[in-house]
Amino acid sequence: MTTPTALGTGEARTRLHELTVIDVRAPGEYAGGHLPGALNVPLDQIPRALPDIRHAADRGDILVVCASGARSENACRILAENGIETATLSGGTGAWAADGHDLHRPQGAGGATWGMERQVRFTAGTVVLLGLLLGLLVHPAFQLLSAGIAAGLVFSALTNTCGMAALLAKLPHNRPRAADLDAALAELRNR
């Protein structure tokens, strides 16, 4: 297994017309702005999408994108384990937007869901504060809740994984509608 190729935003922009771009973020994040022409296949749906991604990869290069690059690297690793070579966008959509490139926002998307990193920070902070507050007002043992979140954050940083993000991804606003995912997979088959 090889390390996925990383494309800078400039190179990705010049090659955008020849790449199949797969955005592995949650649907709400995708709706908040994505690379033009990107198809939304959330990271946890990659196994289901393997045949369709393989089909598209047989016809051209695949660029996998997320918010900052961590999820796309994980997706590239899964794809490489299944014999599909891909590239990832260095810095993700954050770097793309920071370099002044346009993000596509679908009409009728409404208020976009917070990015997964922001959802994790909010949830972790809320649980830590709740644990501390309950520890002061109810019983000191509730402080273990805060300690558990702290330990989880350290583990997350050391392993470059995030269990809390995996749990939050299962919330309804972070789940793809079946019709949207089916449309993305059909588009991959038609490449």
Side-chain angles (χ1 to χ4, degrees), residues 61-149:
D61 293 335
I62 304 284
L63 178 66
V64 183
V65 179
C66 68
S68 65
R71 284 179 278 178
S72 63
E73 286 179 11
N74 288 336
C76 287
R77 193 172 312 113
I78 293 167
L79 293 169
E81 289 168 357
N82 287 277
I84 302 170
E85 289 187 37
T86 58
T88 184
L89 179 64
S90 295
T93 54
W96 180 268
D99 286 348
H101 305 305
D102 289 335
L103 291 174
H104 176 77
R105 289 178 178 84
Q107 289 183 339
T113 301
W114 285 354
M116 189 58 67
E117 183 181 334
R118 187 175 181 189
Q119 291 181 53
V120 167
R121 289 192 318 255
F122 177 79
T123 304
T126 301
V127 174
V128 167
L129 288 174
L130 181 64
L132 292 173
L133 183 63
L134 290 173
L136 288 172
L137 300 176
V138 178
H139 192 276
F142 278 107
Q143 292 176 352
L144 291 174
L145 188 60
S146 299
I149 294 296

